[in-house]
Amino acid sequence: MTDTQKTSLAGQLAARFGDTLTITTVRNETVAELAAADLIAVATALRDEPAFRFSELIDLCGVDYLGYGQTEWDTETVSGTGFSRGVEGQAQGRFDWAGRPRGDGENQPRRFAAVIQLLSIEHNRRLRLRVFCADDSLPVVPSLTLVWPGVNWFERETFDLYGIIFDGHPDLRRILTDYGFVGHPFRKDFPLIGNVEVRYDPEQKRVIYEPVSIEPRVLVPRTIRDDADLMQAKAEAADHWREN
Amino acid sequence: MQEIRNYTMNFGPQHPAAHGVLRLIMEMDGETIVRVDPHVGLLHRGTEKLAESKPFNQSIGYMDRLDYVSMMCNEHAYVRAIETLLGIEAPERAQYIRTMFDEITRILNHLMWIGSNALDLGAMAVILYAFREREELMDVYEAVSGARMHATYYRPGGVYRDLPEQMSKYRESPWHKGADLKRINSWREGSMLDFLDAFTADFPSKVDEYEELLTTNRIWKQRTVGIGVVSPELAQQWGMTGAMLRGSGVEWDLRKKQPYAKYAEMDFDIPVGVNGDCYDRYLVRVEEMRQSNRIIRQCVEWLRANPGPVMVQNFKVAPPSRVEMKESMEALIHHFKLFTEGYCVPAGETYCAVEAPKGEFGCYLVSDGANKPFRVHLRAPGFAHLSSMDTIVRGHMLADVVAMIGTYDLVFGEVDR
């Protein structure tokens, strides 16, 4: 994909939709963020207008931004106490249902997002749309099933895993989880070990559900190192141990 | 006058033609399909959620288990997404190796598909022939990675190790000895590339054999011609990619249109169908096997002539060699940090796709700068294809549903993830 094509996509989008879209281009990938209320109109225009012709919706998925950028192991300030062992964190996989992280009760309008990947076969280019849900206790996004019918299952999947409700979807049922499943398992406050386990009970002669018996166990702490190479080089430059 | 009611029928999840664990609830009017409701998710393992709790490299092995008949292509999408965020690029030799193994994987996948699809439609013999060649290619997988299916061979920054100098041989056994043993080992005297050279020289004649069994076979044509017609518009509306899209005459292949690895340097053709029915998709996939064979030959030729590194020399991402680790303190620290904590990927997001045998396999990766991904979403082609089932098979006969499941080339590892 050439650069001129790419810059022209961001430019074309800005010219056509103005303030409706917030456009960023990183590494030749164009991302447009928009409000849920504008989604249907923008999507229809992107599909039909000759300048865009995004004939295919490649993918739609949910993202839960709860805990984005949180780290379990502070590595920047090594004090006299030394490093912790990094085993007490609360990140993904390290809590059960009772110990799940709870928000402070306030609405986080940028917690749930639906991310859409579009593909224009005619112009050979891609576009990513992101729609944040305004209310995190009842995340709603309008359904795109009337624009691209193929989004049907992707929306069902996102509803199943994240609990994002697609307004206007003809058949919003669970798709990937078990029949009778409770909860939305890909949310960041849903435990990795789950809540129930299934086994065959020879006495009752049927499959039964029980509360999980396993313990949450993640061995590697979640760590964020910003430009580790750079920081290390800087620290080494400041350190005069070589001279002493 | 007798009253006739529609009948609701359950198909699967345990059924030989269900390709795994597909369950269909079908509303039938006699033998005609009125409505189909596929139930999926019986193989849902939460791969994407599991990946969020592990350092990046530890999830490569999960990718093999998604579409478990096109293993390395899945790895390729995931690894490319990480490389994009890290801003690194694999050495040229690694890129050629990846291109070659993507195509080996494509042949592996299409062999599985042609065998099982023919079996579904009543042609018993094809799968026996297809698995003969699959066996040889799985030996190549084994030679390079140690595993016959779930290779975990690609790494961000290259591939795990260089191609082996020796191809594995059959040992003497009560079933293979003497002249027989010599015959089955005749390709395996040299390196893996020699073996692939011999294999690819022979493979087109093997494809001829499959075609002889099917292409002009009257029963095969009765079961596939005009069945499951997908118009180009319909294919695009339903997010179809790969052979499903090309079978309808849309010239779209990521290897040509958005080339990755070394596909831009390869000389190959993209077959497209005309009518968009099951028969055209069959022809497209058979031709793809021949084209993959061509690509493998070009890669073999290049790889023979150009030795070199297969992994980036950035020890923040790739482990140092074992020998170096034993001698250098620096290398030991790098090794320790990489295998305990992993590497941190700069914050950002990307979507990277590869042309997997079944269609576009994509990886949407969000990183917040940590040593574990914040969100991985895997875009499986089979999931999008299967969702169009209801629209396409309405009005078809019950037996055509089986033809359609076959032509979708479904594998539930990737549909359910």
Side-chain angles (χ1 to χ4, degrees):
Chain A
M1 231 175 289
T2 60
D3 280 337
T4 50
Q5 248 187 328
K6 267 295 161 194
T7 45
S8 73
L9 175 59
Q12 278 172 337
L13 287 168
R16 167 66 179 80
F17 297 103
D19 291 340
T20 318
L21 305 181
T22 315
I23 302 160
T24 44
T25 303
V26 186
R27 285 181 233 93
N28 281 340
E29 294 177 56
T30 310
V31 190
E33 215 175 285
L34 67 160
D38 301 323
L39 182 63
I40 298 286
V42 169
T44 313
L46 287 175
R47 183 194 62 182
D48 294 335
E49 287 178 15
F52 304 115
R53 283 258 193 272
F54 286 99
S55 57
E56 281 211 33
L57 183 141
I58 284 292
D59 186 31
L60 182 147
C61 71
V63 182
D64 179 358
Y65 282 96
L66 183 74
Y68 183 87
Q70 269 177 18
T71 163
E72 295 175 303
W73 202 33
D74 186 16
T75 53
E76 274 179 46
T77 50
V78 186
S79 61
T81 56
F83 286 111
S84 80
R85 291 191 59 211
V87 290
E88 307 91 10
Q90 269 286 289
Q92 189 63 266
R94 293 189 132 172
F95 52 85
D96 58 9
W97 180 250
R100 69 189 186 277
R102 292 186 178 86
D104 40 17
E106 279 178 31
N107 184 25
Q108 294 176 307
R110 292 177 72 82
R111 180 175 167 189
F112 292 109
V115 178
I116 300 158
Q117 320 281 348
L118 299 179
L119 171 70
S120 166
I121 283 181
E122 195 179 311
H123 300 297
N124 188 10
R125 56 192 182 187
R126 292 177 189 275
L127 172 65
R128 184 179 314 136
L129 300 177
R130 184 178 4 246
V131 186
F132 277 100
C133 306
D135 184 356
D136 75 331
S137 58
L138 184 68
V140 183
V141 170
S143 168
L144 289 172
T145 37
L146 291 176
V147 188
W148 292 281
V151 79
N152 188 317
W153 277 25
F154 288 111
E155 290 184 344
R156 277 179 68 187
E157 178 194 323
T158 309
F159 162 71
D160 187 0
L161 303 178
Y162 283 94
I164 298 175
I165 291 160
F166 290 88
D167 191 18
H169 191 286
D171 185 22
L172 201 61
R173 282 178 295 154
R174 288 187 179 275
I175 184 164
L176 289 181
T177 50
D178 199 359
Y179 300 111
F181 191 87
V182 180
H184 300 290
F186 276 29
R187 288 188 172 187
K188 290 282 181 183
D189 53 6
F190 191 94
L192 183 69
I193 55 167
N195 292 323
V196 286
E197 60 187 29
V198 188
R199 71 175 174 91
Y200 177 75
D201 185 15
E203 281 166 21
Q204 297 181 48
K205 294 212 163 96
R206 65 183 182 91
V207 171
I208 56 166
Y209 289 80
E210 292 173 326
V212 276
S213 57
I214 49 171
E215 296 282 313
R217 182 169 178 267
V218 169
L219 297 178
V220 183
R222 188 180 168 80
T223 320
I224 295 183
R225 293 174 189 273
D226 295 314
D227 304 320
D229 294 0
L230 200 71
M231 273 168 45
Q232 191 183 344
K234 235 189 254 172
E236 277 173 11
D239 195 346
H240 297 290
W241 63 272
R242 282 169 220 271
E243 293 157 27
N244 297 335
Chain B
M1 177 102 176
Q2 214 177 359
E3 193 191 340
I4 297 170
R5 276 181 309 154
N6 283 352
Y7 214 75
T8 305
M9 210 167 85
N10 180 64
F11 175 102
Q14 285 92 10
H15 188 284
H19 285 219
V21 288
L22 172 65
R23 182 179 174 206
L24 295 173
I25 310 291
M26 295 183 288
E27 201 180 316
M28 314 279 302
D29 178 11
E31 281 260 339
T32 314
I33 307 284
V34 180
R35 202 173 69 90
V36 180
D37 179 18
H39 284 203
V40 300
L42 289 108
L43 202 60
H44 178 61
R45 294 149 295 178
T47 304
E48 296 162 9
K49 176 114 175 164
L50 280 170
E52 289 172 10
S53 68
K54 292 177 197 305
F56 283 90
N57 268 15
Q58 291 184 16
S59 301
I60 301 173
Y62 284 131
M63 301 301 138
D64 295 307
R65 287 149 179 87
L66 290 169
D67 178 357
Y68 44 76
V69 286
S70 46
M71 296 69 74
M72 288 203 197
C73 289
N74 309 344
E75 289 174 27
H76 203 165
Y78 178 64
V79 160
R80 272 189 69 217
I82 299 173
E83 283 176 353
T84 310
L85 284 182
L86 280 170
I88 58 172
E89 204 174 323
E92 205 176 11
R93 186 173 167 86
Q95 306 256 17
Y96 272 96
I97 293 176
R98 284 183 187 179
T99 310
M100 184 172 81
F101 270 96
D102 274 15
E103 295 310 312
I104 289 174
T105 308
R106 196 176 313 279
I107 293 182
L108 274 172
N109 177 82
H110 285 0
L111 286 174
M112 181 77 186
W113 163 81
I114 200 173
S116 55
N117 193 9
L119 194 61
D120 287 349
L121 299 186
M124 181 69 216
V126 187
I127 199 165
L128 304 174
Y129 289 92
F131 268 63
R132 181 184 56 188
E133 274 70 64
R134 241 176 94 81
E135 185 66 25
E136 308 275 22
L137 290 177
M138 298 235 274
D139 284 347
V140 175
Y141 255 56
E142 188 178 359
V144 83
S145 72
R148 291 166 63 77
M149 289 183 80
H150 303 306
T152 325
Y153 180 55
Y154 294 2
R155 295 294 147 89
V159 293
Y160 171 58
R161 62 176 182 190
D162 207 346
L163 305 173
E165 288 300 312
Q166 270 289 315
M167 186 64 195
S168 56
K169 292 194 186 71
Y170 284 103
R171 258 178 290 175
E172 192 174 318
S173 71
W175 303 278
H176 295 299
K177 51 191 166 189
D180 188 30
L181 186 69
K182 210 164 171 186
R183 179 185 58 79
I184 59 174
N185 274 337
S186 59
W187 288 355
R188 297 165 181 260
E189 298 301 331
S191 70
M192 201 193 92
L193 289 175
D194 296 333
F195 175 79
L196 273 174
D197 193 36
F199 176 85
T200 49
D202 183 54
F203 186 63
S205 70
K206 298 287 167 62
V207 180
D208 292 341
E209 285 182 13
Y210 317 139
E211 283 219 76
E212 205 165 308
L213 285 169
L214 294 175
T215 304
T216 52
N217 181 326
R218 189 153 53 102
I219 304 171
W220 178 253
K221 288 183 85 166
Q222 280 171 348
R223 292 299 303 273
T224 55
V225 175
I227 302 297
V229 177
V230 182
S231 70
E233 296 76 32
L234 197 70
Q236 292 182 41
Q237 281 169 10
W238 284 91
M240 289 185 185
T241 45
M244 291 296 297
L245 186 59
R246 289 193 288 276
S248 305
V250 182
E251 295 167 31
W252 181 261
D253 190 312
L254 292 179
R255 294 176 294 170
K256 283 277 190 213
K257 301 283 181 178
Q258 300 174 4
Y260 52 94
K262 284 290 166 193
Y263 283 111
E265 264 105 285
M266 295 292 147
D267 178 25
F268 65 105
D269 302 318
I270 299 299
V272 290
V274 179
N275 305 316
D277 57 4
C278 291
Y279 187 67
D280 277 20
R281 288 188 283 271
Y282 155 77
L283 292 177
V284 164
R285 288 191 174 114
V286 168
E287 184 55 30
E288 275 182 18
M289 284 202 270
R290 296 184 192 275
Q291 297 300 329
S292 295
N293 198 64
R294 266 175 81 188
I295 299 174
I296 296 173
R297 286 193 74 81
Q298 293 165 47
C299 290
V300 167
E301 198 182 323
W302 191 93
L303 286 167
R304 271 185 173 160
N306 298 279
V310 293
M311 195 70 163
V312 288
Q313 289 296 302
N314 178 353
F315 295 145
K316 302 289 177 206
V317 179
S321 79
R322 201 78 196 158
V323 176
E324 213 173 334
M325 191 196 94
K326 299 282 183 193
E327 286 168 357
S328 149
M329 192 65 209
E330 189 85 5
L332 183 68
I333 295 170
H334 276 131
H335 186 275
F336 175 74
K337 286 309 282 180
L338 264 174
F339 284 96
T340 52
E341 183 182 299
Y343 47 82
C344 291
V345 171
E349 56 170 8
T350 188
Y351 176 82
C352 279
V354 295
E355 185 72 31
K358 296 180 168 61
E360 177 175 328
F361 189 93
C363 176
Y364 173 61
L365 183 66
V366 182
S367 170
D368 59 351
N371 57 340
K372 303 173 183 181
F374 185 76
R375 167 84 167 116
V376 188
H377 179 72
L378 300 156
R379 191 269 177 195
F383 188 76
H385 292 162
L386 185 58
S387 70
S388 67
M389 178 75 128
D390 183 40
T391 312
I392 291 169
V393 302
R394 268 183 203 206
H396 280 69
M397 306 294 272
L398 174 59
D400 300 334
V401 173
V402 174
M404 206 56 213
I405 295 171
T407 196
Y408 276 137
D409 197 2
L410 294 170
V411 159
F412 279 85
E414 62 157 11
V415 174
D416 296 345
R417 281 159 288 149

